[in-house]
Every structure is written in structure tokens, then in C-alpha cells.
Amino acid sequence: MPSVWKRKDLVGLKDLTAEEIQLLLDTAKSLQQVSLRPVKKVPTLRGRTVANLFFEPSTRTRISFELAEKRLSADTIQFTGSNSSAVKGENLKDTVRNIEALKVDLIVMRHFSSGAPHRLAQSLPVSVVNAGDGINEHPTQALLDMFTIREKKGTLSGIQVAFVGDILHSRVARSNIWGLTKLGAKVTVCAPKTLLPAGIETFGVRVTSSLEEAIRDADVINLLRIQTERQDECYFPSIREYANNYQINSEILKRAKPDVLIMHPGPVNRGIELSSEVMDGPYSVILDQVTNGLAVRMAVLYLLSGTRRGGRKVNGS
Ligand code: CP
């Protein structure tokens, strides 16, 4: 495993090696204990400035990055597209040039266009972290999902993970597929045929439209929200019919393994993809995912902030 992180940016998991993903997870593990101390702060990013640019709504990712930056003692700028001069017509390039003029060291960006963080990363000398781009990737979400599975199951190798829901529009599913398969997990995707991207089987996953088949041998079921905000046509007759066929509830769960984990990246539409009873029940690790997101984002910021000085060394890896 490499002991030094060399990449300037984290734009996705597609191009990372298994060793790099492992390094991110192991670094998150070692940073997890910072949040358990009475003084939850380390000076690692003191004097560095991080700009959080969110052109799409976010609760978990935005506050998790902001807290991770504070825990590492960075100065931060919070930018939301809806409260900025973007609404007056300023384009992304000009917005970012203005932020760059303030001499920031690192940009965290969520954008509704697939590929926006990649273009930024290619054109700027500062590090760029993708906090979710269109339907393409959401690498830190996948890392925190993988971290949570590894924490609960002890390994990722050989673990069966079923994604159920709107696979077509899911950047979370795409990043998870890249990451999980590289670390030896077996992935199944399950959705009505209309919500499965063409050629998804070439990603090395099992594909089914049968919920029962997807969950039968799953160690983890990761539910995905129906993303109505990205849908410009009808993909199924009604939400009620979707819930009848694809909702995870107590009755369906009787057909899953007794130690199955229920995950969801959030936000959850209670009563659609997941019943309230299961969401708040003993199988659910949804809030553990949120907690682990902090350590994962601290690890990403920590590793990227070291690359301009020749790479961040990681103890014990
Ligand atoms: N999982 C996730 O990305 O949630 P937010 O949209 O609230 O950040």
C-alpha cells in the first residue's frame, strides 16, 4: 500500500487504485478518534483556506465538510449558488476565478452538472474535492459508505452489497460501484428496468429488477431515493406502485439475512424507499454513516492538503 498520497484532487473513485482507496479509509480510521476527544480539534490545516462551493442543496455533505475543516483548524468560506451572483448571471468560471483571487488552498464543490469539478481541477492549481456532480460521482459519500461497512462487517472483501432504487440518476451508486468492486465486494443493483442505466452490467455488477432476488443474499442493502428533481419523464406508473414493489419494510426484511445492514445516503423519503420502522430500527446504520462522513472528509482534506509539499505521509500504512 502507498504510504504517501500523490493526487492533487479527489474528483471520483473511478480512477483511484484499490491501494489509494484503502489509504483514504485507513487515514479516516486514524482521524476518527479526534472527534472523541474533549478538545475536538487538531492544528493540521491551520493557515489554510477551504472554499465550500455548493451549487445544489445539501445537508449532510455541506455540514460534514464544514465541520471537518473546523476540526482541522482551516479557515473556511461558505458559498451557495442560490445566494451568490450566479443568480445574476455570473458563470461558473468567473465565480471560481474570483474565489481563486482570494488565494484559497482547496475547493470543495457540489454542482448539478456532471464533470464540473473535473473541469475545475484541470484548470486550477488548487486542490478540488468533488462533493457530488450531477449523476456522475459522489466520492466522499461512497468512501463513508465503505468505511461504515468495513467498520460493521470487519472487511469489504466478499461482502454482498445491494443497491435498490433510482440507479439511473445516482452518483452515489456509481461511486460505490467503483470503490466497492475495487476492494473485492460483490455489488447488485436493483430497480425497475426504466431506472437502470444502459450497460450497467459492464460495471461488474449483478443486475436485477426483483427486490427479493437482490436482498436474499445481501450483507448490506443501500437504499437510493427516487430523484424526482432529475427526472424529466415518467419512469414508473406512480410512487405508490414503486413503494409497493421496492420499499424495504419489516415484512420484506424477513427475507433478508438476519445480520443485514440497512444503509441510505440521505435524504430519505420516509414511507417510499424505506419504511419508518426499518429506518429507525436495529438494522439501520444510517446515522453511523453520517458520523463516519466526518472522519472520511477529514481524511480527504488532510491527504490533499499535503500533496503540494510532496505528499502527506500516513503513519502505520
Ligand atoms: N448524501 C448526501 O449527499 O446528502 P446531502 O445531499 O444532504 O449532502
Side-chain angles (χ1 to χ4, degrees), residues 22-250:
Q22 202 84 53
L23 178 61
L24 282 159
L25 297 178
D26 290 348
T27 307
K29 180 75 200 154
S30 65
L31 288 169
Q32 200 177 25
Q33 44 83 32
V34 172
S35 297
L36 304 175
R37 296 178 191 163
V39 178
K40 302 174 178 60
K41 215 171 172 79
V42 289
T44 315
L45 294 192
R46 194 162 53 202
R48 307 286 186 97
T49 306
V50 183
N52 299 303
L53 314 188
F54 279 72
F55 291 88
E56 248 191 11
S58 167
T59 297
R60 282 145 289 268
T61 312
R62 189 172 51 79
I63 61 177
S64 173
F65 266 113
E66 191 178 339
L67 188 55
E69 291 149 13
K70 288 188 160 90
R71 293 267 154 99
L72 295 172
S73 305
D75 296 320
T76 64
I77 297 169
Q78 312 305 332
F79 171 101
T80 53
S82 56
N83 280 334
S84 74
S85 290
V87 295
K88 300 180 209 164
E90 190 166 50
N91 69 26
L92 176 61
K93 192 173 169 194
D94 288 336
T95 299
V96 170
R97 285 178 68 193
N98 277 274
I99 288 169
E100 198 194 1
L102 296 171
K103 308 294 177 211
V104 304
D105 299 289
L106 204 145
I107 291 176
V108 175
M109 185 166 84
R110 168 168 292 191
H111 203 277
F112 47 83
S113 293
S114 299
H118 306 67
R119 284 198 295 279
L120 211 62
Q122 282 160 8
S123 61
L124 294 182
V126 301
S127 292
V128 175
V129 182
N130 180 2
D133 65 316
I135 63 166
N136 181 42
E137 282 227 39
H138 193 347
T140 58
Q141 178 67 46
L143 288 166
L144 75 89
D145 292 345
M146 294 164 74
F147 186 94
T148 304
I149 297 170
R150 197 177 73 164
E151 185 176 62
K152 304 289 178 191
K153 297 287 184 188
T155 181
L156 286 163
S157 181
I159 294 289
Q160 300 268 3
V161 185
F163 288 87
V164 179
D166 186 353
I167 311 293
L168 182 64
H169 300 98
S170 179
R171 56 196 178 205
V172 173
R174 284 173 180 77
S175 283
N176 262 285
I177 290 169
W178 299 127
L180 284 166
T181 53
K182 282 175 191 183
L183 293 200
K186 310 281 181 217
V187 177
T188 298
V189 293
C190 174
K193 283 194 170 60
T194 49
L195 287 176
L196 290 166
I200 184 76
E201 56 286 340
T202 62
F203 286 37
V205 298
R206 182 173 63 154
V207 185
T208 179
S209 290
S210 157
L211 182 60
E212 190 151 349
E213 185 186 331
I215 68 168
R216 198 184 302 138
D217 56 359
D219 300 298
V220 178
I221 305 172
N222 201 332
L223 282 314
L224 301 171
R225 182 175 62 89
I226 299 294
Q227 299 194 33
T228 46
E229 74 276 22
R230 294 191 210 280
Q231 297 182 6
D232 50 10
E233 53 187 283
C234 279
Y235 289 90
F236 44 80
S238 69
I239 284 286
R240 190 169 160 180
E241 181 170 322
Y242 176 83
N244 282 342
N245 288 309
Y246 289 98
Q247 183 188 87
I248 296 291
N249 51 44
S250 302

